[in-house]
Amino acid sequence: MKRDAFNAKNAPQPRGGYAQAVRIEDFSRVLFVSGQIPADSDDVLPTGFEAQARQVWLNVDAQLKAAGMSKADIVKVTMYLSDRHHTMANREIRAEYLGALAPAMTVIIAGIFDESWLLEVEVVAAQ
């Protein structure tokens, strides 16, 4: 698969860890991962934003692996945060998981289905 990131010079530049646009070509599979919640496989919900964020990325990773893919295949991320005060911690933990990968990304502050969930993350991956 060929992947190109674009950050148009005449538009706002990304503010850490993502690209404004990602083009993919010559791919054979696309995976749409539903919003992953911060509970583990036993439905245990960690306490605090940082622990919940790390659990969400573990869940994303599990879905990717189940489909024979990895985080290197992520091309789009949509993150739902329950509170804008989690923005910086979210950015740091996302960077821990994604490393140098810069997918297209949207972060939305929203009321989440379960009030105890502090975030939810969905991704699109392609190979």
Side-chain angles (χ1 to χ4, degrees):
M1 176 182 80
K2 183 178 178 199
R3 175 197 311 240
D4 295 302
F6 297 92
N7 296 301
K9 298 213 183 303
N10 60 340
Q13 296 304 298
R15 297 182 181 161
Y18 66 95
Q20 291 289 21
V22 174
R23 178 178 62 203
I24 57 174
E25 297 176 9
D26 303 322
F27 59 92
S28 59
R29 311 190 292 161
V30 176
L31 177 69
F32 297 88
V33 179
S34 295
Q36 296 300 291
I37 65 171
D40 68 14
S41 61
D42 295 321
D43 208 25
V44 174
L45 183 68
T47 303
F49 182 82
E50 290 83 0
Q52 286 195 17
R54 287 186 177 90
Q55 184 61 57
V56 160
W57 287 112
L58 288 171
N59 295 344
V60 167
D61 207 44
Q63 300 304 335
L64 292 167
K65 287 181 181 174
M69 298 174 111
S70 74
K71 66 182 176 183
D73 300 314
I74 295 173
V75 296
K76 173 71 170 102
V77 175
T78 305
M79 305 192 76
Y80 301 91
L81 303 181
S82 66
D83 190 312
R84 73 182 67 258
H85 294 102
H86 300 307
T87 301
M88 294 312 295
N90 178 60
R91 185 180 291 177
E92 291 170 13
I93 293 164
R94 183 183 70 232
E96 284 176 17
Y97 177 75
L98 293 177
L101 184 65
M105 184 174 315
T106 302
V107 179
I108 301 166
I109 310 302
I112 298 175
F113 180 78
D114 185 318
E115 290 181 352
S116 61
W117 302 342
L118 301 177
L119 76 162
E120 189 170 346
V121 176
E122 63 184 31
V123 302
V124 177
Q127 284 183 326

